Amino acid sequence: MNETMTSTAIEASSGVSAPLEKVALETYVPPAKPSLIGLSRAEIAERLGAIGVAPTQRKMRVQQLWHWIYVRGARNFDEMTSISKEMRSQLEAHFTVARPEVAAEQVSNDGTRKWLLRLPSGDNLEKAHEVECVYIPETDRGTLCVSSQVGCTLNCSFCHTGTQRLVRNLTAGEIVGQIMVARDRLNDWADRDTPTGGRLVTNVVMMGMGEPLYNFEAVRDALLIVADNEGIGISRRRITLSTSGVVPNIIRTGDEIGVMLAISLHAVRDELRNELVPLNRKYPIAELLQACRDYPGSSNARRITFEYVMLKGVNDSLDDAKLLVKMLKGIPAKINLIPFNPWPGTRYECSDWDQIEKFSEYVFNAGYSSPVRTPRGRDILAACGQLKSETEKLSVRERQALRAMAMTD
Ligand code: SF4
């Protein structure tokens, strides 16, 4: 996050009940031997030029590397057998195809998997930070929930990540790296015969730790790589970026990335949304909805998802449902109701199931798709930010044991 972003985020959270302490964000320092993951084709060509690869060869080398990295999932240059041995050792001397290290892995009874990933800055492991990435398998798809920042400034009062201070923005490589790790761990590089057409990770949602639109450039560059159809090839219609409402970057998301949009709405009145999503003080509901109306490419076939966490006695009345339907009029929308997944220390409770059903029925009868998201991975605390906090409480020995498990199973 650059200085402008830092002050914007701080400004956005000022005046709320839990204001952010003004801390300088850390700057990412690349390791001495950088990873090629997350670089565009032009950037890879430039790096190749810097190590003496002739201009006439660069385009072909970039194509080969792209294929080995993003189609075959190669984890080192030795595997790239269509590249000459000499070239491979030259690449090896200067670069890696390293992904984030898996610090812990948990598998839920329902198949949800959660990874805690370690992200070093420079070669100093003391300076490593951790983010989470969650894989949610369903019959017709496998969704990977990806993080964009270490921590978050926005202090949404129902969100566990909001209790963790923002440390730094992830790089494009660290964002793409989360998908690479998931495919590695799920053995998801080889084509196979499955109902999802061969791959386990079929969908990506930017809904993990952090506010993606406060790390716009890195998120954009990463998602363009994820969507590239000569590589990972996950279609833009299967990639969803979720924002708490950074209005100025919403239109840019449509123009420059072209992915599906989700809005963390959670309340229909500014007074309540100011409390649940403090960024609302800067970009109130009316401005946010106007940006949604103007979102490039939205249509009945490409609806905007409005996320609505169900909090008992807070935002779950039928009056709330009525107002919700009224204010979304004219926006191609679907409403995703999320039963609240409580975390230690939260002041909220999940709405009663009856109430969730009544709310959902009202919204459905008004013509909106209103699926209730089935709680997943509750036994492994799959709501974002929870594995990180749990792991922070472990001793060094316990952390080593978790890491060893992650390496061997
Ligand atoms: S909901 Fe998203 S934006 Fe809000 S605190 Fe949590 S991670 Fe940050």
Side-chain angles (χ1 to χ4, degrees):
M1 184 178 288
N2 59 38
E3 272 314 300
T4 322
M5 289 293 193
T6 310
S7 48
T8 310
I10 288 170
E11 189 189 334
S13 59
S14 64
V16 299
S17 49
L20 178 82
E21 52 179 307
K22 289 202 178 190
V23 286
L25 291 187
E26 285 183 19
T27 313
Y28 171 77
V29 182
K33 244 211 263 186
S35 175
L36 295 180
I37 290 174
L39 300 182
S40 66
R41 286 184 179 80
E43 287 167 332
I44 297 178
E46 199 186 302
R47 303 295 195 282
L48 294 182
I51 64 164
V53 176
T56 49
Q57 277 207 7
R58 279 180 219 158
K59 195 169 172 203
M60 174 194 64
R61 293 298 180 210
V62 170
Q63 261 171 355
Q64 289 173 320
L65 283 164
W66 199 266
H67 179 81
W68 279 106
I69 296 172
Y70 295 121
V71 177
R72 310 285 286 270
R75 292 187 222 189
N76 56 58
F77 295 109
D78 262 359
E79 288 177 42
M80 303 183 183
T81 46
S82 60
I83 300 177
S84 72
K85 254 190 161 169
E86 193 190 320
M87 183 74 224
R88 277 186 268 155
S89 36
Q90 203 183 345
L91 289 166
E92 174 67 36
H94 295 92
F95 309 112
T96 69
V97 281
R99 316 57 166 112
E101 184 197 342
V102 177
E105 177 176 62
Q106 291 182 324
V107 183
S108 161
N109 300 332
D110 65 16
T112 300
R113 279 174 186 245
K114 184 161 174 169
W115 296 283
L116 184 68
L117 302 177
R118 178 163 302 126
L119 309 171
S121 189
D123 289 312
N124 181 356
L125 284 179
E126 295 290 304
K127 283 250 170 198
H129 296 294
E130 288 161 346
V131 292
E132 294 175 355
C133 178
V134 180
Y135 172 69
I136 304 155
E138 291 169 278
T139 43
D140 61 339
R141 68 181 66 187
T143 303
L144 192 70
C145 180
V146 170
S147 294
S148 56
Q149 298 181 308
V150 180
C152 188
T153 44
L154 295 187
N155 299 114
C156 299
S157 56
F158 59 89
C159 170
H160 201 234
T161 299
T163 63
Q164 297 163 14
R165 84 181 170 90
L166 178 67
V167 179
R168 73 168 168 86
N169 280 336
L170 300 195
T171 64
E174 290 167 333
I175 297 167
V176 179
Q178 295 172 61
I179 291 130
M180 309 293 283
V181 167
R183 283 213 159 148
D184 293 346
R185 302 295 300 169
L186 295 165
N187 192 17
D188 194 29
W189 291 107
D191 287 330
R192 58 163 84 75
D193 191 17
T194 71
T196 55
R199 298 288 188 195
L200 297 176
V201 177
T202 60
N203 292 52
V204 167
V205 292
M206 295 299 309
M207 284 184 197
M209 297 169 70
E211 165 51 64
L213 294 191
Y214 272 147
N215 185 14
F216 184 83
E217 281 78 11
V219 168
R220 174 197 60 202
D221 296 352
L223 293 184
L224 292 179
I225 290 174
V226 174
D228 188 299
N229 57 17
E230 287 170 16
I232 296 173
I234 296 178
S235 130
R236 284 175 171 77
R237 297 176 75 109
R238 289 178 172 272
I239 301 175
T240 303
L241 183 148
S242 172
T243 177
S244 51
V246 183
V247 165
N249 282 342
I250 288 180
I251 302 297
R252 283 187 77 191
T253 301
D255 282 338
E256 296 179 37
I257 322 179
V259 290
M260 307 298 281
L261 181 68
I263 303 290
S264 289
L265 187 66
H266 311 308
V268 288
R269 281 164 282 115
D270 280 322
E271 198 188 354
L272 177 60
R273 195 165 189 270
N274 286 346
E275 183 192 321
L276 295 178
V277 184
L279 185 65
N280 195 69
R281 289 169 187 264
K282 190 168 172 66
Y283 304 114
I285 294 175
E287 264 183 56
L288 175 58
L289 293 184
Q290 190 53 49
C292 293
R293 287 194 176 87
D294 299 339
Y295 189 67
S298 70
S299 65
N300 281 341
R302 292 172 64 98
R303 291 170 186 269
I304 297 174
T305 302
F306 289 85
E307 306 275 343
Y308 197 95
V309 66
M310 298 300 293
L311 303 171
K312 187 173 180 171
V314 175
N315 64 354
D316 62 351
S317 72
L318 273 191
D319 281 348
D320 289 312
K322 285 178 192 164
L323 195 48
L324 177 62
V325 164
K326 203 169 152 198
M327 70 190 219
L328 293 185
K329 208 162 181 244
I331 301 177
K334 60 183 173 189
I335 296 153
N336 204 350
L337 300 178
I338 309 161
F340 177 60
N341 195 358
W343 37 272
T346 179
R347 61 179 190 266
Y348 298 110
E349 283 176 68
C350 181
S351 305
D352 293 332
W353 200 252
D354 264 14
Q355 191 57 27
I356 297 179
E357 281 187 341
K358 277 188 205 146
F359 196 107
S360 165
E361 205 179 295
Y362 183 87
V363 171
F364 181 78
N365 288 339
Y368 292 97
S369 153
S370 57
V372 178
R373 202 195 282 165
T374 325
R376 300 295 302 262
R378 283 206 161 170
D379 53 326
I380 57 165
L381 294 165
C384 78
Q386 296 186 356
L387 179 58
K388 181 166 188 280
S389 298
E390 284 304 296
T391 309
E392 273 164 4
K393 289 183 208 144
L394 300 177
S395 67
V396 173
R397 182 177 295 179
E398 286 166 323
R399 289 164 71 106
Q400 280 165 347
L402 268 175
R403 204 173 323 148
M405 262 169 52
M407 306 299 287
T408 53
D409 85 25

